[in-house]
Amino acid sequence: MSITDTLSPPGRNSYLATAGPVPACDHAWDAVLARVPLLSERELDVFRLLARGASNRTVAATLLITERTAKAHVAQILSKLGVESRLQAGIAGFAWEMLATGAGRAVDLSA
């Protein structure tokens, strides 16, 4: 038995051999992205900032609102999109931005 076999999770090698190609798209994410148009204009502003990894404090400072208001917007976004965390919302926001700008092009996250 090699060190790789010892450190590999049980069944890992057999899974890789039978798994086939990795799916390019997860239908759950399609559903999340389909709900983005439900967001208000202000929620879209916050959503775009979440895509850049902004904290509530950064969202508040950028949009000239209180942190409490920023937190409320994030809660509404999570609810409307049906995601469990701001990380998931941020990933969805990043995907939304990639789709809006064209997946093949680079996205400027410094703005």
Side-chain angles (χ1 to χ4, degrees):
M1 180 180 289
S2 71
I3 189 71
T4 306
D5 294 333
T6 306
L7 296 176
S8 297
R12 179 175 183 259
N13 293 335
S14 62
Y15 173 76
L16 291 176
T18 60
V22 176
C25 184
D26 183 355
H27 295 294
W29 284 109
D30 289 340
V32 170
L33 294 176
R35 290 189 287 268
V36 172
L38 298 175
L39 301 178
S40 69
E41 285 298 317
R42 191 53 136 182
E43 290 165 350
L44 279 170
D45 294 338
V46 174
F47 185 61
R48 287 182 186 105
L49 290 170
L50 289 177
R52 294 181 177 105
S55 65
N56 288 343
R57 180 174 290 170
T58 303
V59 169
T62 303
L63 300 178
L64 303 174
I65 57 177
T66 66
E67 282 187 59
R68 184 174 180 175
T69 302
K71 187 175 181 179
H73 285 311
V74 171
Q76 280 297 110
I77 291 166
L78 298 181
S79 176
K80 286 183 178 181
L81 296 182
V83 295
E84 297 176 5
S85 69
R86 69 184 295 124
L87 175 62
Q88 289 177 337
I91 292 168
F94 184 79
W96 181 259
E97 291 290 325
M98 291 296 292
L99 290 171
T101 61
R105 289 185 246 152
V107 176
D108 181 14
L109 297 177
S110 63

